[in-house]
Amino acid sequence: MIDFLENKPIENWDVRAFIDQCLAWIKETVGESSVILGLSGGVDSSVAAALIYEAIGSRLIPIFVDNGVMRYKEAERVKEMFAGYPELNINFVDAAELFLGRLAGVSDPEAKRKIIGTSFIEVFDSEAKKHDDAAFLAQGTLYPDVAESITADGKTLSVKSHHNVGGLPEKMNLKLLEPFRRLYKYQVREIGRELGMSPRLVDRHPFPGPGLAVRILGAVDKNQVKILQEADEIFIDELYKWDLYKETWQAFAVLLPLQSVGVEDSKRTYKQVCALRAVNSSDGMIAKVSELPLDFLLHVSQRISNEVSGISRVVFDISSKPPATIEWE
Ligand code: XMP
């Protein structure tokens, strides 16, 4: 029997055996309680939702929290993606003002992560109060999140405090339920496929819990979020159009707190720089730059600087992990 709480990857991976044992473990752990699940629209929390739903049905309470630093039109996309699961009753909570208010003026990456982790838990706790029998908070935490946030003795921060692990507050009213904490993303994708989830959802690139807050370097505000959302949407849209989305493991835009001189209609401009990042990896622990075609990058760069007001220069990040991490913060 798998020990789902151990701090190490699963050995002898067999997707069907994992699903069967995990369903039994969830039923036993949860008993008659309800489970709150932070549904972000990402692969991990979406597959977790499908799996936990299979174990406990409508006692799963999925909550999508709009924290103001999600991808472009993410709430609408999540509605579309789960349109085929009418029985999954998703609660949409608009907490953008709360998160952005707390993030205002904060530039330190670890401070941003902690604010987001703590605020998420607060929102989930307050939603949980609406459900008398809610005793658990389910998260799609993966093994690399665990490995990078804590050392083997379970204590110190090793690389960064992934918001869903090291960024959690010390005192929480809900107990954590993390069925994937011993898995890598490719294994979660296999579970999603095995459960019959749509490829568009299962193959979605990873997206970090702290969202665009760690892709806007320096302080985060509504305007910076809007600029980054638009630039990122163009990049991702073009990856799909050029049939390159699946050629890269993770791709996104980053907004730099830098202005550079440009020219528009023969006039000098002074606007921000956007970096494009695309990497290939199997688990996020090490990563190599995706060698996207130059004509593709030129096209994306032109669209971003023409269509996104506030950006006049686009650069492509050619750093591997290590020494750089995948995210810039
Ligand atoms: P790094 O930047 O550490 O990223 O090389 C490795 C992978 O993890 C994602 N990432 C996170 N995921 N919470 C998450 O759920 C986080 O706080 C977090 N930080 C980074 C990152 O997008 C990449 O896929």
Side-chain angles (χ1 to χ4, degrees), residues 105-241:
V106 179
S107 347
D108 177 68
E110 282 300 308
K112 288 189 206 173
R113 280 162 185 276
K114 292 262 149 79
I115 288 172
I116 291 172
T118 315
S119 307
F120 261 123
I121 299 297
E122 259 182 62
V123 174
F124 292 136
D125 269 346
S126 98
E127 287 299 307
K129 291 207 178 90
K130 299 179 190 163
H131 304 270
D132 287 345
D133 52 357
F136 290 86
L137 174 67
Q139 301 200 124
T141 309
L142 301 185
Y143 179 69
D145 305 338
V146 174
E148 291 205 338
S149 287
I150 54 177
T151 54
D153 63 3
K155 284 185 194 126
T156 352
L157 167 75
S158 47
V159 181
K160 20 179 124 158
S161 61
H162 282 229
H163 92 288
N164 47 359
V165 188
L168 294 177
E170 276 174 22
K171 188 184 162 305
M172 277 178 53
N173 296 327
L174 297 167
K175 284 172 269 181
L176 284 181
L177 184 74
E178 297 178 316
F180 304 152
R181 63 178 283 124
R182 296 189 61 189
L183 302 188
Y184 292 101
K185 192 167 290 279
Y186 81 91
Q187 294 169 313
V188 175
R189 289 197 165 116
E190 271 183 46
I191 296 173
R193 283 186 206 106
E194 187 72 17
L195 296 177
M197 301 180 80
S198 92
R200 180 88 181 208
L201 204 164
V202 171
D203 293 329
R204 241 183 153 195
H205 289 170
F207 185 70
L212 301 182
V214 291
R215 294 179 178 173
I216 293 168
L217 272 60
V220 176
D221 64 36
K222 249 189 198 159
N223 185 45
Q224 295 285 282
V225 172
K226 181 172 177 289
I227 293 175
L228 181 57
Q229 280 176 336
E230 289 173 5
D232 188 69
E233 176 61 14
I234 290 172
F235 188 23
I236 300 302
D237 177 50
E238 291 296 339
L239 281 167
Y240 277 119
K241 284 188 181 144

